[in-house]
């Protein structure tokens, strides 16, 4: 059995944004990882960069054309790549757009309705391999590039059979009744859970445990309307998550 002795979690960074954190992504490279953040106040959007090496923060000049519906796809060095979406109730993809995240300038737009896979700096499509740095189709070459290392947790919906086992476990160990869903990540010596409880309103809880379910850290991330759109991720062995839609929090050595 693994005990708590010698295992710890250490908060190394927090930053509160004035707007609601709407979306996040990662760019840069393995040596200089960076986090892209989009915040919104009413209909006004703003992009931000957080350097995950020295934790400096700056605003990225926001391009007016980026106000159109889009979704983060990936980050290639200093280029943020987005899926540009049609407006409507069921928005499909209409194009791929690349933005220089140093200047906020749009580098390219490529009309595209579907794609197969992201492979390194290339997007594999039925038309060929699209270089995501340049927006040009080309014969795929072997380019050595190591992107930002990050992991997303496993997600269990309310209707999935895997959630029931977690519900029973949490009732026995912690006296909590999980509802709605749960995110789960297993590291070398820690387990991380983000899950939802209902007690006179919805709560999003975070719990970090040892392998024998001794709690190292727990907190309420948000309640009610403050529950955000993002769950946690592991970036270069750091735990990164959002609290109350406004605060970016990072723990080291996860």
């Amino acid at each position: 059995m693994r005990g708590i002795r010698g295992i710890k979690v250490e908060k190394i960074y927090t930053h509160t944004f004035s707007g609601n954190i709407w979306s996040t992504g990662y760019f840069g490279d393995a040596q200089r990882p960076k986090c892209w953040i989009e915040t919104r106040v009413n209909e006004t959007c703003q992009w931000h960069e957080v350097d995950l090496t020295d934790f400096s923060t700056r605003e990225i000049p926001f391009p007016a054309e980026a106000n159109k519906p889009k979704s983060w796809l990936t980050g290639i060095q200093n280029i943020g790549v987005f899926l540009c979406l049609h407006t409507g109730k069921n928005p499909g993809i209409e194009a791929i757009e690349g933005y220089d995240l140093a200047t906020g300038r749009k580098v390219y737009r490529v009309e595209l309705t579907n794609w197969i896979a992201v492979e390194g700096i290339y997007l594999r499509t039925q038309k060929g391999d699209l270089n995501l740095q340049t927006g040009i189709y080309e014969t795929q070459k072997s380019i050595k590039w190591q992107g930002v290392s990050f992991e997303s947790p496993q997600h269990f919906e309310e209707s999935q059979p895997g959630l029931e086992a977690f519900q029973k476990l949490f009732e026995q160990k912690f006296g909590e009744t999980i509802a709605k869903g749960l995110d789960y990540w297993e590291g070398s010596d820690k387990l991380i859970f983000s899950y939802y409880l209902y007690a006179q309103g919805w709560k999003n809880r975070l719990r970090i445990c040892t392998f024998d379910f001794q709690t190292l850290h727990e907190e309420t991330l948000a309640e009610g309307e403050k529950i955000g759109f993002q769950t946690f991720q592991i970036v270069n062995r750091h735990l990164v998550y959002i609290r109350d839609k406004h605060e970016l929090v990072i723990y080291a050595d996860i």
Side-chain angles (χ1 to χ4, degrees):
M1 301 287 283
R2 300 177 185 231
I4 291 180
R5 180 175 297 177
I7 303 176
K8 63 179 182 178
V9 291
E10 179 186 2
K11 186 186 295 184
I12 59 172
Y13 178 78
T14 64
H15 183 82
T16 301
F17 296 87
S18 58
N20 286 341
I21 296 174
W22 193 264
S23 186
T24 62
Y26 301 99
F27 66 105
D29 55 33
Q31 289 70 44
R32 196 83 182 190
K34 298 178 181 181
C35 180
W36 167 86
I37 293 176
E38 181 182 76
T39 60
R40 298 186 186 182
V41 179
N42 298 322
E43 298 299 318
T44 302
C45 299
Q46 178 62 55
W47 289 355
H48 310 263
E49 172 193 304
V50 178
D51 190 311
L52 299 179
T53 303
D54 61 14
F55 299 108
S56 58
T57 303
R58 72 177 185 92
E59 288 189 354
I60 299 170
F62 185 75
E65 63 266 31
N67 263 318
K68 296 179 181 179
K70 54 176 47 63
S71 176
W72 176 272
L73 176 62
T74 189
I76 305 295
Q77 295 180 343
N78 216 45
I79 301 294
V81 183
F82 297 84
L83 302 175
C84 189
L85 308 175
H86 292 286
T87 56
K89 292 183 178 180
N90 297 302
I93 301 168
E94 68 177 30
I96 300 290
E97 294 184 346
Y99 288 82
D100 182 344
L101 296 180
T103 64
R105 179 179 61 88
K106 184 165 71 174
V107 179
Y108 62 81
R109 175 185 169 91
V110 179
E111 305 296 325
L112 192 68
T113 57
N114 57 70
W115 49 278
I116 299 170
V118 176
E119 298 179 350
I121 70 166
Y122 291 94
L123 183 70
R124 178 156 290 180
T125 77
Q126 294 177 338
K127 295 182 179 179
D129 294 330
L130 181 68
N131 186 318
L132 293 174
Q133 286 183 298
T134 63
I136 297 172
Y137 287 102
E138 59 185 48
T139 301
Q140 185 165 340
K141 301 176 182 178
S142 177
I143 295 180
K144 292 182 179 180
W145 175 74
Q146 188 176 2
V148 179
S149 171
F150 70 93
E151 300 174 61
S152 296
Q154 278 188 279
H155 181 68
F156 293 87
E157 295 282 354
E158 192 171 17
S159 59
Q160 287 182 271
L163 181 61
E164 185 177 350
F166 284 112
Q167 288 173 319
K168 290 180 179 179
L169 173 67
F170 271 64
E171 287 177 356
Q172 294 172 356
K173 293 287 185 180
F174 310 120
E176 294 180 323
T177 302
I178 296 176
K180 200 173 184 179
L182 172 141
D183 291 312
Y184 164 72
W185 179 84
E186 180 177 323
S188 60
D189 61 1
K190 298 179 184 71
L191 307 173
I192 302 178
F193 303 92
S194 173
Y195 52 97
Y196 298 90
L197 306 175
Y198 189 85
Q200 298 180 337
W202 286 104
K203 294 183 180 182
N204 180 204
R205 294 277 292 162
L206 178 82
R207 186 181 293 272
I208 305 174
C209 301
T210 60
F211 278 18
D212 53 354
F213 296 102
Q214 296 185 66
T215 298
L216 299 168
H217 176 75
E218 60 177 309
E219 66 176 294
T220 298
L221 298 185
E223 299 184 39
E225 293 183 356
K226 290 186 177 181
I227 292 176
F229 316 104
Q230 305 286 314
T231 185
F232 70 86
Q233 290 185 313
I234 307 300
V235 185
N236 284 13
R237 298 191 65 245
H238 290 1
L239 169 64
V240 180
Y241 63 87
I242 307 300
R243 185 163 50 203
D244 288 335
K245 285 186 183 177
H246 287 282
E247 187 178 14
L248 177 69
V249 182
I250 301 177
Y251 279 81
D253 298 327
I254 294 296

